[in-house]
Amino acid sequence: MNQYLVDFNFPFLKLGLLFLLYAETHYSFKGIYSRLKKKEPEIIADVPHRIKQGQPIPVLLLIKDADQHSIELNSVHINLFSKEKKECFPFEFNALKITEKFWHKTVEIQSTDNLSGKYRIDVTIKFSINGKKREVKNDNYTCSSHAPLEIYISESGLPKTNGWHFGEFHCHTSYTDDQVEFGAPLNASRQLAEAMGLTFFCATDHSYDLDDDPDNYLKNDPSLKKWHSFQDDVRRLNQSNSSFIIIPGEEVSVGNSKNRNVHFLVLNHPELLPGDGDSAEKWLRTKPNLSIKEILRRINSNSLAFAAHPGVQPPFLEWLLVRRGKWNLQDCSNSGLHGLQIWNGTDEGLNEGKSLWIKRLLQGKRIFISGGNDAHGNFNRFRQVGLPFFTLRENYEHLFGKVRTGVFLEDKLSLPTLLKAFENGRMLITNGPFVELLVKNNRNESAKSGDCISGKNFKIDLNCLSSPEFGKLSELRIYTGNLITRKEQLFKSVLNFSELFKHHEELNMRKNSTPSYLRVELFSENKNEVLKCFTNPIWLNWTLG
Ligand SMILES: [Zn+2]
Ligand SMILES: [Zn+2]
């Protein structure tokens, strides 16, 4: 590394770390001016991106770092706009003194009309700081658009049949709090997730954030206070509400076969698994702590391990400066790996992740896919610190609950039933349509995604659903994977559907003798967007006679 890089790459290191987050703007590097830094706490309003008609809309107010810059909150005015009219919802706070590091409150608004479709929401926050009156709209970032928040009010719930639950498989909460990012508190995340129609999320904060000193994210805490309070918070919240489950997890930084840092989602593990190779907390120390193999050896039978965003190529600077790498086929071939979180909020890396998965399926491995968004808060809009501390990027990607993992539960929703269903692959991933794959054999026994079934012949049942929110059904693809020739092929494609948002497909499979698997993809079209649903496979074992 030449002198120029050594001199300059600490800030550039951070430049490489463009995470997905509510942007933290108070951190700046010695000698580097931050245009975003100001003498005010960060103030953010957020709402779910979708909600079912007739429900109140929760509006999350977040105020961060008021311990350094205290304020008096005077009022919050929320405007809900439709084409025809504007409804205003005022909330008085009467000069409420806010001095906490992390203050948040959710207020609810509900229209007098039965709304449906897309709506805009503006949140005006009036406060005083050092005796001066200030007013901000939607957030107080220096370089953001302050554009209205957007919500889709849906006449119908998420498309599904009985027994299916939807959730977010990869997200960060306020336990992620470092130089450039922070997430929303667990209880606020739960409230907004519930309003979206979800019934679970996996809280997968970074290993290198969970081991921090609660008061200083640049220092580690050997007594792991933050980790313990995270576990306690999740437990307490799960005890207080049986209709929504938070799965305690961790996004562990581990070494892949090339000794580069990759991310591993470990769910329900009773101890913190260390991993700070790519934390950028220790200058020039980027070596992974544990390897993928070591993690798989350490976790117990109640824990699950999924490769996080395996197909996503790390940006060049992250590759260079914090030794970030990518899951390759060898990494995905470790025994004990339960699955691959191949969808990470955008299409980036989705095809690569899917192709790694199919390669493993064709090698005869029973391995499953899940999908999430890697959201850090960001229920409505993604706000990110860009070219360090000079810009703030905004877009509508990596939104909490946009890509969902659907899970089939035979029993009541609970932490153990969810974990069991993940382990058994009773899952699908979708950002819109829904397809239930069922197979029956000649003895009338039935199988769902993730199951294996034996028989002389099989009947396949497919229930396809969409809704005006996710657009009309456009294509159904049924794939079979031959485990002898190790080839996957398109068995059938359906382009004509009985109804716009509903279709039932039935087909018979006979006279095959090779062990194989069956999986399904369903697409819908909404304006110019193609939305998709991928099921996990059912394995077919042909018996003779
Ligand atoms: Zn990650
Ligand atoms: Zn993540």
Side-chain angles (χ1 to χ4, degrees):
M1 209 176 269
N2 65 37
Q3 191 55 40
Y4 178 85
L5 261 179
V6 171
D7 277 342
F8 287 94
N9 65 7
F10 195 54
F12 281 109
L13 171 70
K14 297 298 170 185
L15 180 148
L17 302 178
L18 299 179
F19 297 116
L20 323 165
L21 60 151
Y22 285 136
E24 161 65 61
T25 58
H26 288 133
Y27 189 82
S28 64
F29 295 99
K30 267 190 206 119
I32 304 277
Y33 163 73
S34 168
R35 192 154 79 96
L36 300 176
K37 193 172 170 177
K38 58 169 150 187
K39 289 186 173 133
E40 261 179 27
E42 277 133 346
I43 301 175
I44 296 163
D46 212 345
V47 298
H49 68 266
R50 77 174 297 279
I51 195 163
K52 193 165 170 215
Q53 192 179 55
Q55 279 186 293
I57 302 170
V59 178
L60 171 64
L61 307 168
L62 272 177
I63 299 180
K64 189 171 171 276
D65 296 334
D67 54 339
Q68 297 162 47
H69 313 281
S70 71
I71 62 160
E72 280 165 13
L73 184 61
N74 298 319
S75 67
V76 174
H77 286 252
I78 304 171
N79 288 323
L80 176 64
F81 299 92
S82 63
K83 271 192 207 103
E84 307 79 41
K85 65 173 192 181
K86 174 176 106 177
E87 279 181 270
C88 184
F89 304 87
F91 296 88
E92 286 310 316
F93 283 87
N94 305 316
L96 175 71
K97 190 122 181 111
I98 296 175
T99 55
E100 291 106 300
K101 182 172 160 54
F102 214 127
W103 180 91
H104 74 99
K105 187 172 175 66
T106 309
V107 294
E108 287 186 333
I109 61 170
Q110 187 153 25
S111 171
T112 47
D113 299 337
N114 214 9
L115 306 177
S116 72
K118 236 183 187 168
Y119 292 86
R120 288 175 299 132
I121 294 174
D122 258 334
V123 183
T124 304
I125 301 152
K126 294 183 182 177
F127 63 98
S128 309
I129 186 157
N130 303 324
K132 266 197 219 131
K133 282 208 159 87
R134 282 266 291 140
E135 187 177 313
V136 298
K137 200 179 268 182
N138 302 322
D139 63 63
N140 69 335
Y141 290 130
T142 307
C143 309
S144 70
S145 64
H146 306 286
L149 303 166
E150 284 174 11
I151 188 163
Y152 188 93
I153 302 178
S154 182
E155 281 176 36
S156 41
L158 294 168
K160 69 178 193 78
T161 54
N162 279 345
W164 285 87
H165 294 261
F166 289 98
E168 166 65 72
F169 204 84
H170 180 166
C171 71
H172 296 261
T173 75
S174 53
Y175 282 93
T176 291
D177 174 19
D178 54 36
Q179 299 96 318
V180 289
E181 57 182 344
F182 63 96
L186 281 167
N187 54 349
S189 299
R190 178 175 76 178
Q191 196 175 357
L192 270 66
E194 233 175 341
M196 269 179 212
L198 307 183
T199 50
F200 70 88
F201 67 81
C202 303
T204 49
D205 287 297
H206 290 292
S207 44
Y208 52 72
D209 285 311
L210 289 168
D211 67 0
D212 286 346
D213 184 322
D215 300 317
N216 182 354
Y217 45 67
L218 295 174
K219 258 177 126 181
N220 284 0
D221 169 20
S223 67
L224 300 175
K225 281 196 272 310
K226 205 168 160 182
W227 157 260
H228 288 296
S229 93
F230 171 65
Q231 299 296 309
D232 292 346
D233 275 1
V234 170
R235 209 171 298 127
R236 190 174 41 77
L237 287 166
N238 283 343
Q239 278 163 2
S240 71
N241 179 354
S242 59
S243 59
F244 195 100
I245 300 295
I246 302 171
I247 295 135
E250 186 186 340
E251 185 173 17
V252 194
S253 297
V254 300
N256 70 358
S257 52
K258 295 184 173 142
N259 209 25
R260 292 200 149 265
N261 293 297
V262 295
H263 289 168
F264 211 162
L265 299 181
V266 179
L267 307 178
N268 199 43
H269 192 259
E271 283 134 38
L272 178 91
L273 295 158
D276 61 1
D278 56 350
S279 69
E281 289 169 353
K282 292 181 198 113
W283 180 223
L284 287 180
R285 231 275 299 125
T286 58
K287 249 202 196 101
N289 306 56
L290 296 167
S291 67
I292 294 170
K293 273 194 175 59
E294 282 165 323
I295 295 278
L296 290 169
R297 260 201 302 271
R298 265 197 200 199
I299 63 168
N300 66 24
S301 59
N302 297 322
S303 311
L304 299 177
F306 279 73
H309 43 75
V312 179
Q313 178 71 42
F316 174 70
L317 285 167
E318 295 182 18
W319 178 86
L320 181 74
L321 300 167
V322 286
R323 210 200 276 236
R324 276 204 174 141
K326 199 173 149 170
W327 287 77
N328 54 41
L329 188 60
Q330 190 187 338
D331 299 322
C332 295
S333 306
N334 279 296
S335 67
L337 186 66
H338 295 98
L340 312 174
Q341 180 233 324
I342 61 166
W343 205 349
N344 201 45
T346 69
D347 281 350
E348 195 200 338
L350 175 59
N351 282 334
E352 291 84 347
K354 203 169 107 190
S355 112
L356 279 170
W357 173 55
I358 291 167
K359 278 184 187 143
R360 288 300 289 143
L361 292 178
L362 291 171
Q363 287 171 353
K365 181 74 191 146
R366 206 166 150 249
I367 189 163
F368 307 116
I369 48 168
S370 68
N373 299 278
D374 214 347
H376 294 62
N378 303 321
F379 291 88
N380 206 272
R381 181 155 65 226
F382 165 101
R383 300 149 165 139
Q384 182 182 70
V385 177
L387 277 165
F389 319 119
F390 277 89
T391 61
L392 195 105
R393 282 205 302 141
E394 287 177 291
N395 61 41
Y396 293 88
E397 292 173 345
H398 297 288
L399 298 187
F400 191 108
K402 200 88 186 186
V403 169
R404 297 171 287 276
T405 293
V407 183
F408 180 78
L409 300 181
E410 247 147 51
D411 303 312
K412 231 177 103 239
L413 175 81
S414 70
L415 182 59
T417 57
L418 273 173
L419 290 167
K420 198 88 221 142
F422 293 165
E423 188 180 357
N424 293 330
R426 292 208 150 181
M427 287 184 286
L428 56 79
I429 57 178
T430 179
N431 62 352
F434 167 86
V435 54
E436 182 171 51
L437 165 65
L438 291 167
V439 173
K440 274 195 178 146
N441 64 10
N442 47 302
R443 294 187 298 277
N444 215 25
E445 293 162 339
S446 67
K448 279 201 153 61
S449 279
D451 294 349
C452 304
I453 185 166
S454 310
K456 270 199 289 191
N457 48 56
F458 300 102
K459 198 182 116 210
I460 302 158
D461 245 310
L462 294 161
N463 283 311
C464 308
L465 294 170
S466 186
S467 68
E469 180 182 2
F470 301 116
K472 61 179 197 316
L473 298 171
S474 59
E475 190 177 0
L476 169 69
R477 292 185 200 151
I478 303 156
Y479 290 92
T480 53
N482 184 319
L483 297 178
I484 303 295
T485 60
R486 304 206 162 176
K487 289 221 162 59
E488 186 179 87
Q489 66 174 43
L490 183 63
F491 178 70
K492 188 174 180 179
S493 159
V494 178
L495 293 162
N496 296 312
F497 299 94
S498 47
E499 291 177 48
L500 282 182
F501 306 118
K502 202 171 164 185
H503 181 79
H504 180 237
E505 186 74 24
E506 222 178 85
L507 40 133
N508 291 301
M509 280 181 98
R510 288 200 180 93
K511 292 192 195 105
N512 186 335
S513 54
T514 45
S516 47
Y517 67 78
L518 197 71
R519 63 172 196 90
V520 176
E521 299 184 356
L522 177 67
F523 300 86
S524 67
E525 250 173 58
N526 202 6
K527 290 170 192 118
N528 293 324
E529 201 189 354
V530 176
L531 300 157
K532 40 198 180 266
C533 175
F534 302 151
T535 71
N536 269 299
I538 293 180
W539 282 266
L540 308 176
N541 213 343
W542 299 82
T543 51
L544 302 169

